[in-house]
Amino acid sequence: MKRDFLHITDFTADEIHATFALAREIKERFKRREDYKPFKDHSMAMIFAKPSARTRISFETGFFRMGGYALYLGPSDISIGKREAVKDIARVVARYNDVIMARLFAHQHMLEMAEHAAVPVVNGLTDYNHPCQIMADMFTILEHRGRLEDLKVVYVGDGNNIVHSWLRLAQRLAFHFVCACPDDYEPDAETFAAAQRAGLSEVEISHDPMAAVKNADIVYTDVWASMGQKDQAEERKVRFAGFQVDDALMAATGKKSLFMHCLPAERGVETTDSVMESEASIVFDEAENRMHAQNAILLKICGKA
């Protein structure tokens, strides 16, 4: 039975922990330059409706280093839901390739692609969620802290697709998660309610970033206006005043906290250059670990781990 990775909740807690262990193993193999080719003679179609440097580089490089070939299909190659029906694209691409990675705008298109593709589908991002990013984030936290127990993560900014994936993770692993956002920029209400109903993690929404970050182990942020929202950028700068992660906000945690950002960062907007370049910043370890976490996810859903 084929497996997809569309949401973090597609994995059980045990599978998430196993994925972290596998990511660590793959990372070590790569650093030793081992001849490790579990995807020899395999191909992966990468469908990009929404461009991204990190997503393309991490998936394409990782799949190549595991022996496979990654085919890049950009927005002009496949106009998802416009030139051709999603279900038709899914069926055709699946007949040529062993796995599909898609980075799309509409989450419904991702669900439809997975429904009709005969091969595993990995969600490289939609407007609703970004599961590979948060798997890489938690793996990075585990590397730096050595444990995931007694963890408080405070996200400061827009209640966006990153937040939705953190809330999904809170349904599988126990930690304290706070989304500090302005009024009217809260995450999806049903996703938040589902995390609460799971009863595993403490999840909160705050409108006071200084109070929210107290005792935080991780302070996390993202751009205030994502791709497709750039026409709102100036308005959001006004609405998000006071939500910038700067040295004062990091100091307000009252402990030696770590700073994370999924990138790309707009330095001087949602965070400062001084925070990005500080000893607290693990942003580039986080970026590197996208490749290793994604490789582990691919191995698991393709039945090779």
Side-chain angles (χ1 to χ4, degrees), residues 48-288:
F48 283 79
K50 182 182 285 194
S52 168
R54 266 156 301 280
T55 298
R56 178 179 179 181
I57 294 166
S58 58
F59 269 107
E60 189 167 335
T61 304
F63 203 68
F64 168 77
R65 292 196 63 180
M66 292 193 296
Y69 174 75
L71 172 67
Y72 174 76
L73 299 165
S76 61
D77 297 307
I78 297 180
S79 299
I80 289 288
K82 296 178 182 178
R83 192 172 65 195
E84 193 172 357
V86 175
K87 58 186 177 182
D88 293 349
I89 293 168
R91 289 176 173 130
V92 170
V93 174
R95 293 197 178 207
Y96 301 139
N97 295 277
D98 300 289
V99 60
I100 296 170
M101 187 285 295
R103 182 179 170 92
L104 311 177
F105 285 94
H107 192 65
Q108 183 56 42
H109 286 169
M110 185 71 70
L111 299 179
E112 189 176 351
M113 180 167 291
E115 179 184 354
H116 293 281
V119 298
V121 174
V122 179
N123 179 355
L125 175 142
T126 65
D127 285 345
Y128 170 70
N129 70 341
H130 198 354
C132 291
Q133 178 68 57
I134 274 54
M135 287 290 285
D137 293 340
M138 203 58 142
F139 173 53
T140 307
I141 292 168
L142 179 59
E143 280 189 328
H144 280 267
R145 289 181 84 238
R147 59 192 176 88
L148 297 179
E149 293 75 23
D150 302 316
L151 174 67
K152 180 178 180 181
V153 177
V154 179
Y155 174 96
V156 182
D158 182 25
N160 60 11
N161 51 6
I162 293 290
V163 176
H164 296 155
S165 284
W166 276 111
L167 291 169
R168 289 270 187 164
L169 183 61
Q171 298 177 50
R172 292 290 183 264
L173 303 183
F175 61 102
H176 184 182
F177 179 75
V178 184
C179 175
C181 59
D183 287 323
D184 300 326
Y185 289 91
E186 293 89 353
D188 174 68
E190 175 52 35
T191 304
F192 183 79
Q196 286 184 311
R197 286 196 302 270
L200 184 63
S201 298
E202 181 180 357
V203 295
E204 300 178 62
I205 293 175
S206 170
H207 301 301
D208 183 345
M210 280 290 184
V213 299
K214 185 178 180 182
N215 295 320
D217 298 289
I218 306 294
V219 178
Y220 195 117
T221 194
D222 189 10
V223 293
W224 292 341
S226 299
M227 196 177 298
Q229 301 171 332
K230 296 305 181 184
D231 59 329
Q232 306 171 29
E234 292 308 311
E235 176 191 348
R236 285 178 176 238
K237 284 180 183 179
V238 175
R239 296 294 304 276
F240 283 75
F243 285 81
Q244 184 185 72
V245 180
D246 55 15
D247 293 326
L249 191 68
M250 291 300 295
T253 67
K255 63 194 297 185
K256 194 173 182 180
S257 307
L258 298 171
F259 171 71
M260 303 182 78
H261 193 307
C262 55
L263 300 178
E266 294 186 10
R267 296 180 185 229
V269 182
E270 74 276 2
T271 190
T272 60
D273 190 75
S274 60
V275 171
M276 284 286 291
E277 299 297 336
S278 70
E279 290 184 3
S281 176
I282 56 172
V283 168
F284 298 103
D285 291 342
E286 177 187 5
E288 177 190 347

